[in-house]
């Protein structure tokens, strides 16, 4: 079993840094569509309830 990556707590102090860290760990090779797995995604604004949370839209699914 692989050891978990260590997270620097200073990266979690503000929302923007926290969401960037989560994105980096979730998609280390770049953002992919959870439905079809395509790497052809574009930024699609921000979440209305969490201003630093980036939204994406898949070009293959739409």
């Amino acid at each position: 079993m692989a050891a978990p990556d260590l997270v620097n707590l200073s990266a979690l102090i503000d929302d923007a840094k926290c969401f960037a860290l989560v994105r980096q760990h979730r998609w280390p090779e770049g953002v992919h569509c959870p439905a079809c797995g395509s790497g052809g995604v574009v930024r699609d604004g921000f979440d209305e309830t969490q201003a630093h949370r980036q939204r994406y839209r898949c070009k293959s699914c739409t």
Side-chain angles (χ1 to χ4, degrees):
M1 181 181 232
D5 292 336
L6 295 177
V7 175
N8 184 352
L9 291 179
S10 66
L12 302 175
I13 289 179
D14 67 31
D15 287 344
K17 288 181 181 178
C18 185
F19 282 118
L21 182 68
V22 169
R23 239 185 333 270
Q24 175 186 349
H25 281 276
R26 182 173 181 186
W27 297 295
E29 287 88 31
V31 179
H32 286 58
C33 176
C36 71
S38 170
V41 295
V42 293
R43 291 180 179 174
D44 191 29
F46 291 93
D47 190 292
E48 293 81 23
T49 60
Q50 297 171 318
H52 296 290
R53 184 176 180 185
Q54 179 71 55
R55 298 177 83 181
Y56 296 94
R57 180 175 43 86
C58 178
K59 294 195 293 186
S60 297
C61 289
T62 53

